[in-house]
């Protein structure tokens, strides 16, 4: 099984890297971009085939290490 | 006071921390590898030094804050013993939950390496009692992720409780409310981005960090 974890900065947390990306896109003429936020995608290969157990344990991994609840939130996709 | 400096893969200020502590106390601190699970018998003061533990992968300090020695540090802090985290050490202490908030990428996106002007906001802590309140200091900084962030309620709370210990004179990294160093609510755990251990000898170009170690370690 594979888990894909998206880690985002929470709304309201300043994202200077995202702001720089938006600025660069504007410089290239992509004026339709009103904001950019930069996050992370983490892929895990997992043993076992029980999706509920996997989701519970990956959720634990996210709150213990893969994200920082002070500044980030996350979502989990299993496939 | 018996001291320990924690060493992670990628720590690079551990020897400066060692030398600053030895200079002030006359005793060498124990150098404790992160894979140990116990502190040396009788340890009182713990310093978590600067550097780039685990290459700053994932988030600065994230992996180090989950290493084998951390539960012992958290338990030691809970007894009221002093713990100081500098730079990457500050990041590790916020990641471990010992200090509120988080350190994010500098607002200007650049690594900053300069002498920072600091103001002592609270001289009534065990880390700053040898300074005058409001004193201005010059202490080196060298970081890419020193932009202190916490939500507005947390910022109001730590300001109200006197937990903001140092503020920048000329905010180099976008830190909320110019915060350069904070303590926990109990006042025994402090984190700061500037490097006091790099300002304890005239050959460093300044000695404004010396009083921090003297405040803490009780000698002059």
């Amino acid at each position: 099984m594979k888990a894909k974890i998206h880690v985002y900065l929470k709304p309201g947390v300043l994202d200077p890297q995202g702001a720089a990306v938006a600025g660069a896109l504007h410089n290239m003429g992509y004026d339709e971009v009103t904001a950019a936020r930069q996050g992370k995608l983490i892929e895990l290969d997992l043993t076992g085939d029980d999706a509920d157990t996997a989701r519970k344990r990956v959720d634990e991994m996210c709150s213990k290490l893969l994200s920082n609840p002070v500044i980030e939130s996350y979502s989990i996709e299993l496939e | 006071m018996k001291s320990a400096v924690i060493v992670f893969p990628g720590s690079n200020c551990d020897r400066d921390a060692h030398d600053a502590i030895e200079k002030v106390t006359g005793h060498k601190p124990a150098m404790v590898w992160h894979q140990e699970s116990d502190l040396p018998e009788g340890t009182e003061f713990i310093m978590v030094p600067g550097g780039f533990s685990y290459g700053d992968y994932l988030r600065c300090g994230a992996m180090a804050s989950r290493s084998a020695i951390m539960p012992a540090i958290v338990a030691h802090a809970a007894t009221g013993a002093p713990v100081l985290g500098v730079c990457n050490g500050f990041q590790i202490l916020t990641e471990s939950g010992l200090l509120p908030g988080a350190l994010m990428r500098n607002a200007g996106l650049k690594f900053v390496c300069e002498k920072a002007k600091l103001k002592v906001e609270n001289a009534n802590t065990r880390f700053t009692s040898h300074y005058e309140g409001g004193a201005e200091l010059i202490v080196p900084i060298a970081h890419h992720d020193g932009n202190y962030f916490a939500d507005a309620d947390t910022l109001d709370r730590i300001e109200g409780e006197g937990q903001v210990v140092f503020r920048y004179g000329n905010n180099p990294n976008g830190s909320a409310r110019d915060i350069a160093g904070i303590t926990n609510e109990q006042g025994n755990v402090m984190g700061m981005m500037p490097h006091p251990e790099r300002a304890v000898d005239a050959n460093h170009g300044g000695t404004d960090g010396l009083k921090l170690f003297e405040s803490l370690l009780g000698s002059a």
Side-chain angles (χ1 to χ4, degrees):
Chain A
M1 205 178 322
K2 221 182 224 333
K4 283 189 179 175
I5 299 147
H6 290 262
V7 181
Y8 316 84
L9 283 175
K10 285 181 175 169
V13 175
L14 183 73
D15 177 11
Q17 294 176 99
V21 168
L25 289 170
H26 287 164
N27 290 341
M28 294 162 72
Y30 296 107
D31 295 330
E32 69 271 36
V33 177
T34 57
R37 306 279 286 168
Q38 186 176 314
K40 294 184 190 110
L41 171 64
I42 300 167
E43 288 188 354
L44 303 177
D45 290 326
L46 304 169
T47 56
D49 48 17
D50 181 55
D52 287 345
T53 308
R55 184 170 293 278
K56 194 164 157 258
R57 289 181 61 84
V58 171
D59 192 59
E60 211 178 279
M61 295 176 208
C62 287
S63 55
K64 283 189 180 167
L65 175 68
L66 301 177
S67 78
N68 177 343
V70 177
I71 48 172
E72 294 169 330
S73 52
Y74 58 85
S75 65
I76 299 166
E77 259 178 75
L78 292 177
E79 54 188 52
Chain B
M1 185 181 288
K2 232 176 138 179
S3 307
V5 175
I6 312 299
V7 185
F8 298 93
S11 293
N12 67 6
C13 301
D14 43 332
R15 289 168 61 185
D16 305 69
H18 171 283
D19 290 359
I21 292 167
E22 186 181 16
K23 182 184 173 91
V24 171
T25 62
H27 300 287
K28 291 179 185 298
M31 304 302 278
V32 179
W33 184 236
H34 70 115
Q35 284 175 337
E36 302 288 330
S37 48
D38 296 305
L39 294 161
E41 189 71 31
T43 298
E44 290 166 87
F45 167 52
I46 300 175
M47 183 151 171
V48 187
F52 298 86
S53 57
Y54 294 91
D56 278 350
Y57 298 159
L58 190 63
R59 295 180 308 280
C60 301
M63 252 92 77
S65 74
R66 276 71 172 174
S67 60
I69 193 66
M70 280 313 293
I73 296 177
V74 172
H76 190 68
T79 67
V83 177
L84 171 65
V86 166
C87 198
N88 190 218
F90 185 12
Q91 296 162 341
I92 293 167
L93 295 182
T94 57
E95 279 283 343
S96 69
L98 283 172
L99 290 171
L103 281 312
M104 306 196 48
R105 179 54 44 100
N106 293 345
L109 295 173
K110 288 207 169 77
F111 190 96
V112 289
C113 181
E114 59 190 43
K115 291 179 175 179
K117 204 186 276 181
L118 296 185
K119 191 172 148 206
V120 179
E121 273 309 309
N122 185 352
N124 192 24
T125 76
R126 64 202 297 175
F127 300 93
T128 52
S129 57
H130 284 213
Y131 293 107
E132 299 283 332
E136 291 198 352
L137 317 177
I138 300 289
V139 181
I141 53 170
H143 59 251
H144 208 166
D145 298 81
N147 181 351
Y148 183 74
F149 173 86
D151 60 48
D153 289 348
T154 304
L155 290 170
D156 289 343
R157 182 167 47 80
I158 65 175
E159 298 239 32
E161 297 292 324
Q163 291 173 242
V164 175
V165 180
F166 294 110
R167 243 188 264 271
Y168 296 109
N170 186 11
N171 193 334
N173 54 26
S175 286
R177 303 189 190 177
D178 302 327
I179 289 171
I182 58 167
T183 64
N184 63 346
E185 206 180 328
Q186 296 73 25
N188 66 304
V189 178
M190 183 164 85
M192 60 193 293
M193 289 310 295
H195 288 274
E197 79 283 4
R198 294 191 195 171
V200 298
D201 188 291
N203 290 326
H204 287 154
T207 57
D208 284 357
L210 197 53
K211 283 183 180 167
L212 190 151
F213 292 96
E214 291 171 351
S215 303
L216 186 60
L217 300 168
S219 69

